[in-house]
Amino acid sequence: MISTWFLYALLTAGIYAVIALLSKIVSGVEIDDPLTLAIYNCVPFYAVYVLVGLALEWPAIRNSLAGVGGEGVAGAEPVPIAIALGFGVVSTIAYGVYYWGLVNGDVSRFVPALSIETVFVLVLGFLVLDEAFPSGVYAGVALVVFGALFISYDREAGSIRESLTFSTVGVAILAAIAFAVFNTGMKVLTDGFGTVEILFWISLGGLLSIAAIVPFRADGGVQPDPADLLAGRVRLTKGTKLLLVGGLLNAVGLFTFIRALENGPVSLATAITKLDVMMVFVGALALSKLAPAVLEEQFDPFTLAQKASASMIVLVGSALIQFSY
């Protein structure tokens, strides 16, 4: 029988794949500023969970603010609110670096390279959560890392050293570290807060951090102006609408991932979400063939074989981690 946490993690992988493809479509034809992409994708799900948290968990939130602790988690020690808010800031940083990578590289190369997040999660899980792993898990990690580096190789760039450019591997490593810290933090928070309350504090911290980075956008401020939108003077572009849809999907994805963390180890749940590698590969291939005007990626015979085989290596590594745990 398939575990509940596995189904939640698998659903999360599908949601993340759709978000990655939507974001790449927008970044390729309309918006190429990583901060703008992060803002329009993060604000919707942050806002959703701030409102949902106030509506459903106000007694627990009020008690936490009063220093009593959340009533929804019987017998659990309260987790400092500052830590939960801090992980909201880490979330914004992670998504900012993520969109930086999407804008500057192939989505079917960058997303698989993010699989190295599994390595950092394993290390943090061991150091922070005392998660122990059998030898099969480490073999799976080795496959994930190899597959991530292999899929980042660009034959046209020349040597392997030259092809593994910072725009692909370096940004992927930065994003992987940020997401690993964020995922491990959410696992820690499940010991002190309920699901909705976790999402509330993280989202509140995320909104505060978004407000701090808005002035650093390429064009300055938020475009279009929210006041103009409410007054009906301007309308959202198709690209912005797609980003907002992605943000709402992210709200669902974050919820399903936390549910996976509540019932399974963070290292294993994170590994299963890397199934989005194959989903992104298939989606990018389908769009490139069926709708090249929407998304055009390099898929010559060599690149096709490379990406397919590397994606399979990553998936085999993730499966080995799962079944060896």
Side-chain angles (χ1 to χ4, degrees):
M1 182 177 179
I2 300 178
S3 301
T4 301
W5 70 263
F6 179 86
L7 293 176
Y8 276 121
L10 185 61
L11 180 58
T12 303
I15 294 171
Y16 285 171
V18 173
I19 293 172
L21 290 170
L22 285 176
S23 299
K24 185 59 181 180
I25 290 172
V26 175
S27 68
V29 300
E30 185 174 322
I31 301 174
D32 59 2
D33 177 27
L35 286 180
T36 301
L37 291 169
I39 289 169
Y40 280 114
N41 196 281
C42 290
V43 168
F45 81 83
Y46 286 158
V48 164
Y49 283 121
V50 167
L51 295 176
V52 170
L54 290 174
L56 300 182
E57 292 290 343
W58 173 242
I61 293 170
R62 180 184 57 199
N63 287 340
S64 293
L65 289 171
V68 177
E71 296 177 348
V73 186
E77 293 293 330
V79 179
I81 294 175
I83 295 178
L85 293 173
F87 283 120
V89 177
V90 172
S91 170
T92 299
I93 294 172
Y95 283 110
V97 179
Y98 173 79
Y99 289 114
W100 179 23
L102 279 185
V103 167
N104 291 285
D106 272 359
V107 64
S108 52
R109 288 188 189 275
F110 177 72
V111 172
L114 283 174
S115 296
I116 58 178
E117 173 194 350
T118 305
V119 178
F120 299 112
V121 172
L122 287 171
V123 173
L124 289 174
F126 175 76
L127 295 176
V128 178
L129 304 172
D130 294 325
E131 292 182 346
F133 315 107
S135 58
V137 170
Y138 296 103
V141 169
L143 288 176
V144 168
V145 173
F146 176 77
L149 293 177
F150 180 39
I151 207 168
S152 301
Y153 169 66
D154 186 354
R155 182 175 59 171
E156 295 181 355
S159 67
I160 294 179
R161 182 178 179 181
E162 292 172 338
S163 67
L164 296 180
T165 60
F166 179 77
S167 62
T168 300
V169 177
V171 177
I173 290 175
L174 292 177
I177 292 174
F179 278 118
V181 172
F182 179 54
N183 291 346
T184 305
M186 287 195 295
K187 176 65 176 179
V188 172
L189 291 175
T190 59
D191 292 333
F193 290 136
T195 300
V196 175
E197 196 177 358
I198 290 173
L199 291 169
F200 169 81
W201 292 116
I202 287 176
S203 297
L204 183 59
L207 282 177
L208 293 174
S209 60
I210 287 288
I213 67 172
V214 164
F216 295 97
R217 282 191 62 248
D219 298 327
V222 177
Q223 299 296 331
D225 190 300
D228 290 336
L229 285 175
L230 293 175
R233 291 189 289 268
V234 296
R235 293 186 179 182
L236 293 175
T237 63
K238 291 182 179 179
T240 303
K241 290 178 181 178
L242 285 177
L243 288 179
L244 294 177
V245 169
L248 294 176
L249 285 174
N250 217 346
V252 179
L254 193 58
F255 176 82
T256 56
F257 185 64
I258 290 182
R259 293 305 301 269
L261 292 180
E262 289 178 335
N263 298 284
V266 61
S267 55
L268 192 51
T270 300
I272 297 306
T273 62
K274 298 311 166 190
L275 290 170
D276 68 346
V277 168
M278 182 57 71
M279 298 175 186
V280 168
F281 168 70
V282 173
L285 176 61
L287 288 174
S288 295
K289 298 299 182 181
L290 301 177
V294 175
L295 180 64
E296 185 175 0
E297 297 258 301
Q298 181 186 5
F299 283 111
D300 57 76
F302 173 84
T303 304
L304 185 61
Q306 173 201 355
K307 291 184 178 182
S309 58
S311 295
M312 286 304 300
I313 290 172
V314 172
L315 293 180
V316 170
S318 298
L320 187 58
I321 293 172
Q322 175 194 357
F323 294 116
S324 299
Y325 190 85

